[in-house]
Amino acid sequence: MQDPTIIPKTWFLLLSLLASLVLLPTTAFSQPSGGPYGPVAKTYEVPAGAAHVYYVAPDGKESASGASTVEPTTLEAAFARAVTSDAIILRGGTYRTGDLLLNQGITLQPYRDEQPVLKGTRVASDWQALRDGVWRTKWKYLFPLKPESWWRREREGMRTPLHKFNNDMVFFDGRALQSTGWEGELDADRFYVDYDDGYVYIGADPAGHTVEITVLDNAFTRTTKPVNGRESDRIGPTIRGITFTQYAYRAIEIEGAEPNGPDVPEHYGKDVVGTMLENVTISHCSRVAGYFRGDHLVIRDCLISDTSTEGIYVIASSDCLLERNIFRRNNVEHITGYFPAAVKIFNQTHRVVCRDNLVIDQPESNGIWYDVGNHDGVFVDNWIEGAQDGLFFEISRGLVCAGNVFVNCDKGVRILNSADAHVYNNTFVNTVASFERTERSAVGDRFDWHPAAGPDVEPSRRPVGPSKWGGWCD
């Protein structure tokens, strides 16, 4: 099997040659590194600057001190005790836990080279066989949800059934099943939830198999509110080498203020500063892997995979870096009309850098989308393959897009209702670049003030000439 963290050598050599030919007139250029991307196997030492260290294990005891590996405590107990500069060291194994809260700048990482996995599911073992190859189990942890108010049912209801907006998930021997609307549509790949009576149905015999069903909404929230008797220290957590998977809705949420209209960065991004994720895997979240708010965010060498509406959100933050990550398989539920993206950089961010990331397997999703009032984005040396819009820069001002490779995207680069975008020294294979302007404004817009956060519509100064989209370039 081809290692997805490394671009196939023949592809990389061919497109590197194409890039070099395109860039011959320049004196210096860059391009995607070719990998490896995503999590890197490491042996972790205890952070040298940790004030206190808590060791935890899946079978730890809540009453244990956690002061050593021979007396590990629980992850829940460690979250309640840890304060600024403390470290929580996780032994390997599966932790079926979540909905945890913290508000301190702590470190979470594995014990040496062990592999801790946090899961938002439990194993369902009490099944009742029905007729026609159907089984059901009583389940009290259910996550019904309706679409967002801006979703247009008159346009999308015939393409996306409402059950897809629910957040429940079922896994059969680790394989995610798709939801369906009633028992008669069940097969080995589908599940159905009866919310009225509290049953989960599947279409495959569970005997001898592991069936997991969601029970938790998220792994943890880094809240800005008081928790565990402490006020927030405004420092983001450092998370290394941990896998988060199978959570209804999202795995991680970093809280923070968001502007509700055009604003300046001095007013937001300061509640939680300096969150870092390294060598982290987040997969199979029913909606989004994580919501990240706060300046100086770093997400590096991570894998974000098998999400539904977005992979990750970076919201109202400045001076952030996304580097050497893999973003793959967003919108696995095939939801239409929801504007999906593997990465959505949203709501008046400043200087968010996306460098040397691998974005792949996104046939029903956009790649990386700067959306609404963003400033001075930097998008360099990324490999984007098989996405709708590979890089989408909308209602924003200031972008450098250089040294990237776009392969088999509907539009490799799409600049819409934006200004001061500098796009150069990129390679496009079976992919176009599109620069578009519409008459959209904040007057009567479905998203209220959003268009006001970007460049205003001005009379045409430089007609593009005949084009498939019409409009003007800024």
PDB file of all heavy atoms in Angstrom, residues 41-69:
ATOM      1  N   ALA A  41       6.584   9.261  13.997  1.00  0.00           N
ATOM      2  CA  ALA A  41       6.821   8.433  15.181  1.00  0.00           C
ATOM      3  C   ALA A  41       7.967   9.022  16.005  1.00  0.00           C
ATOM      4  O   ALA A  41       9.038   9.325  15.472  1.00  0.00           O
ATOM      5  CB  ALA A  41       7.143   7.004  14.762  1.00  0.00           C
ATOM      6  N   LYS A  42       7.723   9.181  17.298  1.00  0.00           N
ATOM      7  CA  LYS A  42       8.730   9.771  18.173  1.00  0.00           C
ATOM      8  C   LYS A  42       8.711   9.091  19.533  1.00  0.00           C
ATOM      9  O   LYS A  42       7.722   8.485  19.935  1.00  0.00           O
ATOM     10  CB  LYS A  42       8.462  11.279  18.370  1.00  0.00           C
ATOM     11  CG  LYS A  42       8.637  12.122  17.141  1.00  0.00           C
ATOM     12  CD  LYS A  42       8.491  13.598  17.461  1.00  0.00           C
ATOM     13  CE  LYS A  42       9.598  14.076  18.371  1.00  0.00           C
ATOM     14  NZ  LYS A  42       9.516  15.544  18.614  1.00  0.00           N
ATOM     15  N   THR A  43       9.814   9.205  20.230  1.00  0.00           N
ATOM     16  CA  THR A  43       9.884   8.828  21.632  1.00  0.00           C
ATOM     17  C   THR A  43       9.955  10.120  22.434  1.00  0.00           C
ATOM     18  O   THR A  43      10.867  10.930  22.253  1.00  0.00           O
ATOM     19  CB  THR A  43      11.117   7.965  21.919  1.00  0.00           C
ATOM     20  OG1 THR A  43      11.017   6.750  21.166  1.00  0.00           O
ATOM     21  CG2 THR A  43      11.194   7.625  23.408  1.00  0.00           C
ATOM     22  N   TYR A  44       8.969  10.319  23.295  1.00  0.00           N
ATOM     23  CA  TYR A  44       8.828  11.585  23.998  1.00  0.00           C
ATOM     24  C   TYR A  44       9.483  11.531  25.371  1.00  0.00           C
ATOM     25  O   TYR A  44       9.291  10.572  26.132  1.00  0.00           O
ATOM     26  CB  TYR A  44       7.350  11.944  24.167  1.00  0.00           C
ATOM     27  CG  TYR A  44       6.671  12.315  22.875  1.00  0.00           C
ATOM     28  CD1 TYR A  44       6.038  11.346  22.098  1.00  0.00           C
ATOM     29  CD2 TYR A  44       6.665  13.622  22.419  1.00  0.00           C
ATOM     30  CE1 TYR A  44       5.416  11.685  20.909  1.00  0.00           C
ATOM     31  CE2 TYR A  44       6.051  13.969  21.230  1.00  0.00           C
ATOM     32  CZ  TYR A  44       5.424  12.996  20.477  1.00  0.00           C
ATOM     33  OH  TYR A  44       4.827  13.333  19.295  1.00  0.00           O
ATOM     34  N   GLU A  45      10.252  12.557  25.666  1.00  0.00           N
ATOM     35  CA  GLU A  45      10.772  12.755  27.009  1.00  0.00           C
ATOM     36  C   GLU A  45       9.813  13.657  27.787  1.00  0.00           C
ATOM     37  O   GLU A  45       9.071  14.452  27.195  1.00  0.00           O
ATOM     38  CB  GLU A  45      12.156  13.393  26.957  1.00  0.00           C
ATOM     39  CG  GLU A  45      13.185  12.582  26.170  1.00  0.00           C
ATOM     40  CD  GLU A  45      13.481  11.224  26.797  1.00  0.00           C
ATOM     41  OE1 GLU A  45      13.318  11.106  28.039  1.00  0.00           O
ATOM     42  OE2 GLU A  45      13.852  10.295  26.053  1.00  0.00           O
ATOM     43  N   VAL A  46       9.835  13.535  29.088  1.00  0.00           N
ATOM     44  CA  VAL A  46       9.022  14.418  29.918  1.00  0.00           C
ATOM     45  C   VAL A  46       9.485  15.856  29.712  1.00  0.00           C
ATOM     46  O   VAL A  46      10.691  16.132  29.714  1.00  0.00           O
ATOM     47  CB  VAL A  46       9.138  14.035  31.405  1.00  0.00           C
ATOM     48  CG1 VAL A  46       8.388  15.028  32.283  1.00  0.00           C
ATOM     49  CG2 VAL A  46       8.610  12.623  31.629  1.00  0.00           C
ATOM     50  N   PRO A  47       8.558  16.790  29.454  1.00  0.00           N
ATOM     51  CA  PRO A  47       8.969  18.182  29.233  1.00  0.00           C
ATOM     52  C   PRO A  47       9.839  18.705  30.376  1.00  0.00           C
ATOM     53  O   PRO A  47       9.478  18.602  31.556  1.00  0.00           O
ATOM     54  CB  PRO A  47       7.632  18.929  29.162  1.00  0.00           C
ATOM     55  CG  PRO A  47       6.647  17.905  28.723  1.00  0.00           C
ATOM     56  CD  PRO A  47       7.107  16.624  29.342  1.00  0.00           C
ATOM     57  N   ALA A  48      10.979  19.262  30.006  1.00  0.00           N
ATOM     58  CA  ALA A  48      11.960  19.673  31.011  1.00  0.00           C
ATOM     59  C   ALA A  48      11.407  20.754  31.936  1.00  0.00           C
ATOM     60  O   ALA A  48      11.762  20.816  33.114  1.00  0.00           O
ATOM     61  CB  ALA A  48      13.229  20.160  30.318  1.00  0.00           C
ATOM     62  N   GLY A  49      10.544  21.613  31.403  1.00  0.00           N
ATOM     63  CA  GLY A  49      10.056  22.723  32.208  1.00  0.00           C
ATOM     64  C   GLY A  49       8.762  22.458  32.944  1.00  0.00           C
ATOM     65  O   GLY A  49       8.164  23.398  33.496  1.00  0.00           O
ATOM     66  N   ALA A  50       8.321  21.189  32.980  1.00  0.00           N
ATOM     67  CA  ALA A  50       7.031  20.889  33.621  1.00  0.00           C
ATOM     68  C   ALA A  50       7.096  21.125  35.121  1.00  0.00           C
ATOM     69  O   ALA A  50       7.999  20.620  35.813  1.00  0.00           O
ATOM     70  CB  ALA A  50       6.625  19.450  33.343  1.00  0.00           C
ATOM     71  N   ALA A  51       6.140  21.893  35.631  1.00  0.00           N
ATOM     72  CA  ALA A  51       6.097  22.149  37.079  1.00  0.00           C
ATOM     73  C   ALA A  51       5.706  20.890  37.839  1.00  0.00           C
ATOM     74  O   ALA A  51       6.315  20.545  38.856  1.00  0.00           O
ATOM     75  CB  ALA A  51       5.118  23.284  37.373  1.00  0.00           C
ATOM     76  N   HIS A  52       4.663  20.206  37.357  1.00  0.00           N
ATOM     77  CA  HIS A  52       4.229  18.937  37.929  1.00  0.00           C
ATOM     78  C   HIS A  52       3.925  17.991  36.775  1.00  0.00           C
ATOM     79  O   HIS A  52       3.492  18.422  35.707  1.00  0.00           O
ATOM     80  CB  HIS A  52       2.980  19.100  38.804  1.00  0.00           C
ATOM     81  CG  HIS A  52       3.147  20.064  39.932  1.00  0.00           C
ATOM     82  ND1 HIS A  52       2.822  21.408  39.818  1.00  0.00           N
ATOM     83  CD2 HIS A  52       3.607  19.889  41.198  1.00  0.00           C
ATOM     84  CE1 HIS A  52       3.081  22.012  40.961  1.00  0.00           C
ATOM     85  NE2 HIS A  52       3.548  21.123  41.819  1.00  0.00           N
ATOM     86  N   VAL A  53       4.108  16.698  37.009  1.00  0.00           N
ATOM     87  CA  VAL A  53       3.848  15.682  35.993  1.00  0.00           C
ATOM     88  C   VAL A  53       2.818  14.704  36.542  1.00  0.00           C
ATOM     89  O   VAL A  53       2.970  14.183  37.663  1.00  0.00           O
ATOM     90  CB  VAL A  53       5.134  14.934  35.587  1.00  0.00           C
ATOM     91  CG1 VAL A  53       4.814  13.827  34.590  1.00  0.00           C
ATOM     92  CG2 VAL A  53       6.158  15.907  35.003  1.00  0.00           C
ATOM     93  N   TYR A  54       1.777  14.461  35.750  1.00  0.00           N
ATOM     94  CA  TYR A  54       0.742  13.488  36.110  1.00  0.00           C
ATOM     95  C   TYR A  54       0.749  12.362  35.071  1.00  0.00           C
ATOM     96  O   TYR A  54       0.584  12.623  33.872  1.00  0.00           O
ATOM     97  CB  TYR A  54      -0.632  14.149  36.144  1.00  0.00           C
ATOM     98  CG  TYR A  54      -0.766  15.221  37.191  1.00  0.00           C
ATOM     99  CD1 TYR A  54      -0.564  16.566  36.870  1.00  0.00           C
ATOM    100  CD2 TYR A  54      -1.081  14.904  38.514  1.00  0.00           C
ATOM    101  CE1 TYR A  54      -0.684  17.566  37.822  1.00  0.00           C
ATOM    102  CE2 TYR A  54      -1.194  15.891  39.483  1.00  0.00           C
ATOM    103  CZ  TYR A  54      -0.990  17.218  39.131  1.00  0.00           C
ATOM    104  OH  TYR A  54      -1.094  18.193  40.085  1.00  0.00           O
ATOM    105  N   TYR A  55       0.952  11.131  35.531  1.00  0.00           N
ATOM    106  CA  TYR A  55       0.888   9.966  34.654  1.00  0.00           C
ATOM    107  C   TYR A  55      -0.523   9.390  34.721  1.00  0.00           C
ATOM    108  O   TYR A  55      -1.086   9.208  35.809  1.00  0.00           O
ATOM    109  CB  TYR A  55       1.905   8.909  35.088  1.00  0.00           C
ATOM    110  CG  TYR A  55       3.341   9.345  34.880  1.00  0.00           C
ATOM    111  CD1 TYR A  55       4.028  10.013  35.883  1.00  0.00           C
ATOM    112  CD2 TYR A  55       3.985   9.103  33.674  1.00  0.00           C
ATOM    113  CE1 TYR A  55       5.340  10.426  35.702  1.00  0.00           C
ATOM    114  CE2 TYR A  55       5.303   9.514  33.472  1.00  0.00           C
ATOM    115  CZ  TYR A  55       5.974  10.173  34.492  1.00  0.00           C
ATOM    116  OH  TYR A  55       7.270  10.594  34.303  1.00  0.00           O
ATOM    117  N   VAL A  56      -1.083   9.112  33.540  1.00  0.00           N
ATOM    118  CA  VAL A  56      -2.430   8.563  33.483  1.00  0.00           C
ATOM    119  C   VAL A  56      -2.422   7.304  32.623  1.00  0.00           C
ATOM    120  O   VAL A  56      -1.530   7.099  31.792  1.00  0.00           O
ATOM    121  CB  VAL A  56      -3.444   9.588  32.920  1.00  0.00           C
ATOM    122  CG1 VAL A  56      -3.423  10.875  33.735  1.00  0.00           C
ATOM    123  CG2 VAL A  56      -3.163   9.897  31.457  1.00  0.00           C
ATOM    124  N   ALA A  57      -3.423   6.463  32.844  1.00  0.00           N
ATOM    125  CA  ALA A  57      -3.547   5.220  32.087  1.00  0.00           C
ATOM    126  C   ALA A  57      -5.020   4.886  31.931  1.00  0.00           C
ATOM    127  O   ALA A  57      -5.851   5.332  32.732  1.00  0.00           O
ATOM    128  CB  ALA A  57      -2.818   4.081  32.806  1.00  0.00           C
ATOM    129  N   PRO A  58      -5.371   4.087  30.904  1.00  0.00           N
ATOM    130  CA  PRO A  58      -6.774   3.701  30.744  1.00  0.00           C
ATOM    131  C   PRO A  58      -7.345   3.005  31.978  1.00  0.00           C
ATOM    132  O   PRO A  58      -8.542   3.126  32.255  1.00  0.00           O
ATOM    133  CB  PRO A  58      -6.749   2.766  29.531  1.00  0.00           C
ATOM    134  CG  PRO A  58      -5.546   3.199  28.748  1.00  0.00           C
ATOM    135  CD  PRO A  58      -4.540   3.602  29.775  1.00  0.00           C
ATOM    136  N   ASP A  59      -6.495   2.293  32.721  1.00  0.00           N
ATOM    137  CA  ASP A  59      -6.942   1.611  33.933  1.00  0.00           C
ATOM    138  C   ASP A  59      -6.455   2.320  35.195  1.00  0.00           C
ATOM    139  O   ASP A  59      -6.368   1.715  36.264  1.00  0.00           O
ATOM    140  CB  ASP A  59      -6.482   0.158  33.936  1.00  0.00           C
ATOM    141  CG  ASP A  59      -4.961   0.024  33.867  1.00  0.00           C
ATOM    142  OD1 ASP A  59      -4.266   1.059  33.665  1.00  0.00           O
ATOM    143  OD2 ASP A  59      -4.458  -1.109  34.008  1.00  0.00           O
ATOM    144  N   GLY A  60      -6.130   3.622  35.071  1.00  0.00           N
ATOM    145  CA  GLY A  60      -5.679   4.375  36.234  1.00  0.00           C
ATOM    146  C   GLY A  60      -6.772   4.520  37.286  1.00  0.00           C
ATOM    147  O   GLY A  60      -7.964   4.339  37.008  1.00  0.00           O
ATOM    148  N   LYS A  61      -6.362   4.852  38.502  1.00  0.00           N
ATOM    149  CA  LYS A  61      -7.293   5.021  39.608  1.00  0.00           C
ATOM    150  C   LYS A  61      -7.464   6.508  39.908  1.00  0.00           C
ATOM    151  O   LYS A  61      -6.482   7.242  40.028  1.00  0.00           O
ATOM    152  CB  LYS A  61      -6.782   4.308  40.856  1.00  0.00           C
ATOM    153  CG  LYS A  61      -6.458   2.832  40.654  1.00  0.00           C
ATOM    154  CD  LYS A  61      -7.685   2.036  40.226  1.00  0.00           C
ATOM    155  CE  LYS A  61      -7.346   0.559  40.070  1.00  0.00           C
ATOM    156  NZ  LYS A  61      -8.503  -0.228  39.562  1.00  0.00           N
ATOM    157  N   GLU A  62      -8.713   6.939  40.045  1.00  0.00           N
ATOM    158  CA  GLU A  62      -8.976   8.352  40.294  1.00  0.00           C
ATOM    159  C   GLU A  62      -8.284   8.837  41.558  1.00  0.00           C
ATOM    160  O   GLU A  62      -7.816   9.991  41.631  1.00  0.00           O
ATOM    161  CB  GLU A  62     -10.486   8.580  40.404  1.00  0.00           C
ATOM    162  CG  GLU A  62     -10.870  10.034  40.609  1.00  0.00           C
ATOM    163  CD  GLU A  62     -12.370  10.238  40.689  1.00  0.00           C
ATOM    164  OE1 GLU A  62     -13.118   9.231  40.632  1.00  0.00           O
ATOM    165  OE2 GLU A  62     -12.802  11.396  40.819  1.00  0.00           O
ATOM    166  N   SER A  63      -8.190   7.978  42.560  1.00  0.00           N
ATOM    167  CA  SER A  63      -7.590   8.379  43.834  1.00  0.00           C
ATOM    168  C   SER A  63      -6.069   8.361  43.814  1.00  0.00           C
ATOM    169  O   SER A  63      -5.427   8.871  44.737  1.00  0.00           O
ATOM    170  CB  SER A  63      -8.088   7.460  44.945  1.00  0.00           C
ATOM    171  OG  SER A  63      -7.743   6.105  44.655  1.00  0.00           O
ATOM    172  N   ALA A  64      -5.475   7.774  42.782  1.00  0.00           N
ATOM    173  CA  ALA A  64      -4.017   7.684  42.712  1.00  0.00           C
ATOM    174  C   ALA A  64      -3.416   9.063  42.461  1.00  0.00           C
ATOM    175  O   ALA A  64      -4.029   9.928  41.829  1.00  0.00           O
ATOM    176  CB  ALA A  64      -3.591   6.702  41.631  1.00  0.00           C
ATOM    177  N   SER A  65      -2.198   9.254  42.909  1.00  0.00           N
ATOM    178  CA  SER A  65      -1.555  10.569  42.769  1.00  0.00           C
ATOM    179  C   SER A  65      -1.141  10.858  41.342  1.00  0.00           C
ATOM    180  O   SER A  65      -1.051  12.023  40.941  1.00  0.00           O
ATOM    181  CB  SER A  65      -0.330  10.625  43.684  1.00  0.00           C
ATOM    182  OG  SER A  65       0.696   9.749  43.200  1.00  0.00           O
ATOM    183  N   GLY A  66      -0.840   9.815  40.557  1.00  0.00           N
ATOM    184  CA  GLY A  66      -0.331  10.037  39.211  1.00  0.00           C
ATOM    185  C   GLY A  66       1.097  10.522  39.192  1.00  0.00           C
ATOM    186  O   GLY A  66       1.588  10.977  38.157  1.00  0.00           O
ATOM    187  N   ALA A  67       1.812  10.401  40.306  1.00  0.00           N
ATOM    188  CA  ALA A  67       3.170  10.924  40.391  1.00  0.00           C
ATOM    189  C   ALA A  67       4.194  10.048  39.676  1.00  0.00           C
ATOM    190  O   ALA A  67       5.309  10.498  39.412  1.00  0.00           O
ATOM    191  CB  ALA A  67       3.568  11.082  41.863  1.00  0.00           C
ATOM    192  N   SER A  68       3.822   8.801  39.355  1.00  0.00           N
ATOM    193  CA  SER A  68       4.754   7.912  38.661  1.00  0.00           C
ATOM    194  C   SER A  68       3.966   6.944  37.798  1.00  0.00           C
ATOM    195  O   SER A  68       2.737   6.833  37.904  1.00  0.00           O
ATOM    196  CB  SER A  68       5.604   7.134  39.672  1.00  0.00           C
ATOM    197  OG  SER A  68       4.803   6.192  40.362  1.00  0.00           O
ATOM    198  N   THR A  69       4.689   6.194  36.984  1.00  0.00           N
ATOM    199  CA  THR A  69       4.031   5.235  36.094  1.00  0.00           C
ATOM    200  C   THR A  69       3.436   4.058  36.856  1.00  0.00           C
ATOM    201  O   THR A  69       2.572   3.360  36.326  1.00  0.00           O
ATOM    202  CB  THR A  69       5.028   4.713  35.053  1.00  0.00           C
ATOM    203  OG1 THR A  69       6.159   4.119  35.730  1.00  0.00           O
ATOM    204  CG2 THR A  69       5.523   5.832  34.157  1.00  0.00           C
TER     205      THR A  69
END
